[in-house]
Amino acid sequence: MKTPKRIPLLALLFLLSIFKISAQTYAKNGMVVSSNLESSKVGRTILQQGGNAIDAAVATAFSLAVTLPSAGNIGGGGFIVFMDSIGKTTTIDFREKAPLAATNDMYLNKDGELVKGSNHTSIKAIGVPGTVAGLYMAHKKYGKLPWKDLVQPAIDQAKNGFIFNWSLYRAAQRFTKEGNDNAFMDAYFRKENGAVLEPGDNWKQPQLAATLTAIRDKGKDGFYKGEVAKKIALWMKENGGIITKKDLKKYEAIERKPIEGTYKGYTIYSMPPPSSGGVALVEMMNLMEQADLKDIEFNSTAYVHLVAEAMRRAFADRAEHLGDADFNLDMPLEKLTSKEFAKQRFKGIDMKKASVSDSTKFGQLYDGQNTTHFSVLDKDGNAVSLTYTLEYSYGSRMGSEELGFIFNNEMGDFNPQPGITKGNGQIGTAPNLVAPEKRMLSSMSPTIVAKDGKPYLVIGSPGGRTIINTVFQTVLGVLEYEMRIDKAIEALKIHHQWLPDIIRYEKHLLSPDTRDALESMGHTLKPTNNLGSLMGITWDAENKVMTGASDSSSPDGGAAGY
Ligand code: GLY
C-alpha cells in the first residue's frame, strides 16, 4: 500500500527542498534552524559533507559568533541537549562560572546596599566564558568531522566578510550615536575609514578571525591557554576585571544527565540545573496533563488562566529551590518533576479565580530577548538543541579590540544581595548566590521531545526567563493542540513568572473579551510586543520528513535543509 504514495511524496519533497515557504522549510536529509540563515547554511553544508548533528551544531555556533554578535558568541556560555540516533540522550553544560575572586557581596557597597548596575554593566559582571569548552567537548565526544573543518567556515565569514544586515545596522546606529561613551562598541561597527557600517556593506572582522584561528589550531586550549588567554587576563587586569589566567585554565564544560519527563506518551528531555528550564518545563507539562484539555480551547480564557497558573507555580518553585547543581546537592529535582507533585499542585488551581503570588517570599525579574537558540537534525536522527547567550544583547558590551569578541555579563543572573527579596522581583535566596567557580542559574531551555525513542520536536528560544514559558507553550501547541511547528511558534504566547504577579501577553493576540474575563478573575494583564524567538524542527521519522521553522521575530533567521 505504501509504495505508490512514495513517488509523489519524494517529488514534493524535492520541490519543497528548494523553496522556503513562509517561515517553514521541509527537508529529508538534514536541517538546521537558527536566528541567522547564513549560519544555518553553514551547518547544512557540514551535514552535506557527512558531518553529524553535533558537527553541524559546532559549526553553526561558531558561525553565529560572527553573524549574530548580539547573542552568538565565544565570550559567553550555554547548553546543549543531544539525542543520538539510537535514542541515547545527554546534555553539555557550558554555562559561565563566577571567577575565583568572586564573593557573595561583590555587588554591595559598605552599607550592604546593591550598587545599581554593578552586577549587569560593570566589568565584574563578566563570567568565565564557557562556549569554546562546551563546543570542544561536544565535538570530542560525539562529533565525526575534524574540528578544524568546523571552525573554518566561521573564520572565512569573519575574514572575508558577510553582508551587514538590517538588525546589525540598527545596533550600529545605537552604539555609534552621539553621546555614546562606549568606545569599544563604537569602534566595533565602524569600517577602517571610520564610517559606520551600513546595510549591504561587506563586514569583515579580522581580529575575531585571528582568535578563531587560534581555536581552530589548538582546540579548547586556543582559548583557555596560550596567547588568547594571556590577552584576556591582561585586558581584565588593565580594566579592573577579576578573571585571571587561572580562571580560564580551570574552566571545564560538564556533561550532565538531562531532566526527563513525559506528556501523554511523549518523552521530554531538557536542561538540568544550573538551568531551571528543564525542571520548570516538565513541572508545567505535568500540571497541564492534570487538566481536561480537550474542553479547553487554545487561546480561550480558560487556556490563558490555566497556563498562567502553571507558570506561577513553576516559577515560585524555581526561585525557592534552584541553582548550580554542584553547589546545591539537595535540590528536590525528582519531586518537582514528579506526577504526584503536579497532582498536589494542580489541586491548588481554582479555574474561576487567579491565585495570588506571595510577594513576601521570592520572585524573579523579567528579562529581554538576548540569547539565541538553534536546532539541528541529521539524516540518521541525531538531534541537537543548543541555546547560548551573552545575557544582555551584546553582553557586557566590553571586550579587547585585539581579540575581536564581546564578553558576557552573565554574573547578573546570580542573586545579587544575600537574603534580600523585594516586591520588584529582586531575589536573595541561597541556591543562586555568588560563590567562586559557581554557575549562575539560567532559564535556557534547549529541549528535545521524543516519540518512540526518536526525536519528534527539537526546540528552544531566547528571552531570559520568558524562555521557559515560550518553549512550554510551543511544546504544548505541538503535542496537545496538534499545531504544525511554524503555527505553534507563531501562536499567542503569554508570560507569568510568579513575581511580579502579571500576565504579559503578546499584543493583538488576546481578544478584548478574553482580557476582560481574565481581569475579572483577578489577573493583571500587560501587553508586550513579542515573546520568544523560537527555532524548531519536527520530524516525521516514519516518512522521513523534517519540518523546520524559524520565528518571524528573528528577521534574519531561517531553516536550511536538504
Ligand atoms: N541569561 C539568560 C539565562 O541564562 O537565562
Side-chain angles (χ1 to χ4, degrees):
M1 281 299 284
K2 267 194 177 163
T3 323
K5 280 190 193 157
R6 289 183 75 87
I7 297 157
L9 178 67
L10 288 177
L12 180 69
L13 283 171
F14 172 74
L15 283 174
L16 293 172
S17 70
I18 52 176
F19 296 114
K20 187 173 181 222
I21 296 175
S22 79
Q24 171 207 7
T25 298
Y26 294 106
K28 203 175 165 231
N29 294 304
M31 177 79 82
V32 182
V33 189
S34 82
S35 286
N36 185 286
L37 182 57
E38 293 314 308
S39 295
S40 300
K41 288 180 185 169
V42 163
R44 177 178 63 186
T45 302
I46 294 294
L47 294 176
Q48 287 169 324
Q49 288 169 353
N52 64 16
I54 286 283
D55 293 324
V58 170
T60 305
F62 279 120
S63 171
L64 287 167
V66 179
T67 61
L68 187 79
S70 57
N73 69 79
I74 55 173
F79 304 107
I80 288 173
V81 176
F82 172 51
M83 174 178 254
D84 72 13
S85 56
I86 55 164
K88 193 170 156 278
T89 311
T90 189
T91 77
I92 294 178
D93 162 6
F94 54 99
R95 182 69 160 164
E96 298 93 327
K97 271 168 57 161
L100 286 157
T103 59
N104 72 3
D105 59 356
M106 66 190 279
Y107 301 117
L108 310 182
N109 65 18
K110 62 177 176 14
D111 299 320
E113 292 153 353
L114 181 62
V115 179
K116 203 163 177 267
S118 57
N119 58 336
H120 284 293
T121 52
S122 80
I123 195 162
K124 290 186 182 154
I126 302 174
V128 184
T131 296
V132 176
L135 299 179
Y136 193 68
M137 175 187 263
H139 172 259
K140 246 196 143 36
K141 290 200 146 183
Y142 303 109
K144 231 167 101 183
L145 295 186
W147 170 255
K148 288 182 188 214
D149 295 359
L150 310 181
V151 191
Q152 190 59 45
I155 297 173
D156 295 341
Q157 283 177 309
K159 200 162 154 183
N160 305 329
F162 69 98
I163 301 300
F164 200 71
N165 60 37
W166 185 255
S167 317
L168 289 167
Y169 177 63
R170 284 178 52 168
Q173 292 284 299
R174 190 153 48 95
F175 287 119
T176 56
K177 212 167 52 192
E178 189 78 22
N180 165 44
D181 59 0
N182 184 332
F184 172 74
M185 288 310 294
D186 183 276
Y188 192 76
F189 287 120
R190 288 184 191 271
K191 304 184 225 188
E192 264 173 31
N193 67 6
V196 178
L197 281 146
E198 293 194 351
D201 282 346
N202 186 39
W203 187 29
K204 296 184 185 175
Q205 301 172 77
Q207 291 84 359
L208 177 57
T211 302
L212 289 168
T213 301
I215 295 166
R216 176 196 67 190
D217 294 343
K218 301 205 173 75
K220 181 188 168 214
D221 288 353
F223 186 86
Y224 294 93
K225 292 179 185 169
E227 276 307 299
V228 171
K230 212 157 101 187
K231 284 179 185 162
I232 294 174
L234 184 65
W235 177 84
M236 283 280 165
K237 201 166 167 191
E238 284 172 355
N239 292 283
I242 57 173
I243 294 177
T244 62
K245 272 202 305 195
K246 190 170 175 190
D247 281 306
L248 294 163
K249 199 169 155 200
K250 283 194 83 180
Y251 187 89
E252 296 288 349
I254 301 174
E255 188 161 17
R256 298 185 192 273
K257 196 167 153 300
I259 290 290
E260 194 176 324
T262 60
Y263 186 82
K264 300 187 180 176
Y266 296 92
T267 310
I268 300 165
Y269 298 99
S270 193
M271 202 58 216
S275 182
S276 56
V279 173
L281 173 65
V282 168
E283 186 178 338
M284 290 191 286
M285 291 303 289
N286 284 343
L287 274 165
M288 298 311 284
E289 217 177 31
Q290 295 296 317
D292 200 357
L293 288 176
K294 70 175 176 346
D295 293 333
I296 298 184
E297 228 175 281
F298 179 79
N299 216 350
S300 62
T301 304
Y303 172 86
V304 176
H305 171 68
L306 181 61
V307 162
E309 292 301 326
M311 292 171 178
R312 182 198 305 279
R313 284 157 180 78
F315 271 79
D317 294 331
R318 173 196 193 273
E320 185 168 0
H321 297 292
L322 303 184
D324 184 350
D326 299 335
F327 285 71
N328 296 282
L329 302 178
D330 54 356
M331 286 185 291
L333 303 186
E334 266 184 37
K335 177 180 156 189
L336 294 176
T337 56
S338 71
K339 301 285 183 198
E340 188 48 42
F341 182 68
K343 211 183 263 176
Q344 295 309 320
R345 273 297 212 183
F346 187 74
K347 282 185 194 153
I349 298 178
D350 181 339
M351 282 307 287
K352 301 228 162 348
K353 199 164 152 249
S355 305
V356 177
S357 298
D358 185 349
S359 60
T360 62
K361 288 185 180 165
F362 318 107
Q364 294 291 338
L365 296 169
Y366 173 81
D367 291 339
Q369 301 261 357
N370 309 309
T371 299
T372 191
H373 174 84
F374 62 89
S375 296
V376 185
L377 186 60
D378 70 22
K379 65 176 173 15
D380 299 318
N382 297 292
V384 172
S385 190
L386 190 154
T387 315
Y388 70 155
T389 187
L390 289 169
E391 166 62 353
Y392 281 4
S393 183
Y394 297 94
S396 64
R397 291 132 195 224
M398 288 178 232
S400 149
E401 274 184 38
E402 226 185 319
L403 295 170
F405 70 89
I406 302 171
F407 286 108
N408 69 83
N409 60 330
E410 216 72 57
M411 295 290 283
D413 274 353
F414 278 117
N415 297 347
Q417 206 174 5
I420 305 293
T421 292
K422 296 181 179 170
N424 71 0
Q426 180 190 312
I427 65 166
T429 52
N432 189 36
L433 293 176
V434 183
E437 297 203 89
K438 190 172 177 181
R439 284 152 146 92
M440 54 297 282
L441 186 63
S442 172
S443 298
M444 289 187 273
S445 313
T447 296
I448 296 175
V449 178
K451 190 169 140 190
D452 304 326
K454 291 189 188 308
Y456 176 68
L457 168 64
V458 189
I459 193 76
S461 178
R465 288 165 181 98
T466 71
I467 294 174
I468 304 172
N469 288 336
T470 57
V471 169
F472 162 51
Q473 289 162 93
T474 308
V475 172
L476 195 65
V478 172
L479 303 194
E480 178 63 41
Y481 290 94
E482 297 177 0
M483 291 179 184
R484 206 174 61 187
I485 177 84
D486 54 323
K487 303 280 181 206
I489 282 175
E490 297 297 331
L492 165 88
K493 302 285 183 301
I494 65 157
H495 174 70
H496 193 297
Q497 56 174 38
W498 193 34
L499 290 174
D501 192 349
I502 291 167
I503 298 178
R504 293 190 188 254
Y505 66 96
E506 285 180 309
K507 243 189 341 214
H508 314 307
L509 290 175
L510 276 186
S511 72
D513 286 352
T514 310
R515 295 202 304 263
D516 286 350
L518 287 163
E519 277 167 353
S520 69
M521 290 166 86
H523 289 289
T524 303
L525 302 175
K526 263 203 181 154
T528 187
N529 283 333
N530 179 64
L531 290 168
S533 190
L534 294 120
M535 301 287 146
I537 302 172
T538 50
W539 193 32
D540 174 348
E542 201 186 334
N543 293 303
K544 302 250 181 274
V545 182
M546 299 169 180
T547 306
S550 71
D551 201 318
S552 60
S553 64
S554 279
D556 306 304
Y562 77 106

